[in-house]
Amino acid sequence: MPRQSEPTERQCAVTREHRPVDEMIRFVLAPDGTVVADLKRELPGRGVWVTATREAVEMAEKKRIFSRGFKADVRVEPGLAGRVEERLRAQALGALGLARKAGAVITGFAKVEAALKKEELAALIHASDAAEDGIRKLAAIRVARFGPAGGPPVLRSFTSGQMDLALGRANVIHAAILAGRASRSFMACACALDRFRADSAATDA
């Protein structure tokens, strides 16, 4: 989060629109002149701000926005948007692990099913490689309780292997995130990843 003395909005170098800093990514120059993402907005030096979507970052690279923003002949290694996405995913997975340690993550199909029926949930997670049968069963329970347009958001941003590593367990396919203080950091990171990907990582289905 920005300090109180810092602006709460920044102008995107690509679109020229002003947006809240939480919807932006700050880029800085590494000592070797390479453009890197400063996701925590803590690194020293001049920053170039870009809307936090894959499309905007790819456009910044394609149109040489960084050279103009830094007023220098900078080096952008190919695949910048992909590297940013991987860092956002790693950040979200790290927050997921911390949420588990705080007791806010439920795993195992039967336990997730029970939680979906009665608990207050911040999100429901399906591994991106989860079988459709299990997803349909949990979706039916969600609709029965909350209606077609209600209930917690559904995330499909991680593979089962990534979830295994983050949660320190094997064969994690489905997880429920309990609403509350312990899950807020994860949800903020997951939403940032979803915004960046701008695809089906989180749905209402």
Side-chain angles (χ1 to χ4, degrees), residues 180-202:
R181 185 174 181 179
S183 63
R184 288 173 190 162
S185 177
F186 165 71
M187 291 305 298
C189 293
C191 288
L193 174 61
D194 180 45
R195 280 197 304 268
F196 187 83
R197 295 180 69 201
D199 59 12
S200 59

Side-chain angles (χ1 to χ4, degrees), residues 95-105 178 181-183:
L96 180 62
L98 292 176
R100 179 196 66 80
K101 292 179 180 178
V105 181
L178 297 174
R181 185 174 181 179
S183 63

Side-chain angles (χ1 to χ4, degrees), residues 116 138-154 203-205:
L116 190 55
L138 293 175
I141 294 170
R142 181 170 173 268
V143 171
R145 180 180 177 187
F146 299 104
V154 178
T203 73
D204 289 326

Side-chain angles (χ1 to χ4, degrees), residues 82-178:
R83 292 193 299 277
V84 171
E85 181 175 332
E86 285 306 309
R87 287 186 58 194
L88 288 170
R89 182 178 288 106
Q91 184 174 268
L93 287 166
L96 180 62
L98 292 176
R100 179 196 66 80
K101 292 179 180 178
V105 181
I106 297 170
T107 59
F109 187 87
K111 292 181 179 179
V112 170
E113 183 180 29
L116 190 55
K117 290 178 179 178
K118 64 180 182 179
E119 300 289 351
E120 183 181 356
L121 300 181
L124 182 65
I125 305 177
H126 303 308
S128 59
D129 49 344
E132 290 302 318
D133 183 56
I135 294 174
R136 282 195 298 268
K137 288 179 180 178
L138 293 175
I141 294 170
R142 181 170 173 268
V143 171
R145 180 180 177 187
F146 299 104
V154 178
L155 309 178
R156 298 196 64 181
S157 307
F158 318 114
T159 66
S160 57
Q162 291 168 340
M163 292 172 67
D164 289 351
L165 290 174
L167 298 173
R169 299 179 183 182
N171 302 316
V172 179
I173 305 298
H174 308 283
I177 311 300
L178 297 174

Side-chain angles (χ1 to χ4, degrees), residues 19-102:
R19 290 179 175 271
V21 293
D22 287 343
E23 297 178 12
M24 307 283 287
I25 296 175
R26 180 177 185 260
F27 289 89
V28 298
L29 288 182
D32 64 356
T34 302
V35 174
V36 296
D38 176 20
L39 297 183
K40 294 184 177 180
R41 304 187 286 274
E42 296 176 342
L43 297 177
R46 180 184 180 89
V48 171
W49 295 78
V50 177
T51 300
T53 64
R54 172 179 277 274
E55 181 182 14
V57 174
E58 289 177 341
M59 189 63 68
E61 180 178 355
K62 180 179 179 180
K63 293 193 171 183
R64 298 179 58 83
I65 296 293
F66 295 113
S67 292
R68 295 203 293 271
F70 289 114
K71 296 179 172 56
D73 187 17
V74 304
R75 189 166 81 253
V76 182
E77 297 292 341
L80 177 62
R83 292 193 299 277
V84 171
E85 181 175 332
E86 285 306 309
R87 287 186 58 194
L88 288 170
R89 182 178 288 106
Q91 184 174 268
L93 287 166
L96 180 62
L98 292 176
R100 179 196 66 80
K101 292 179 180 178

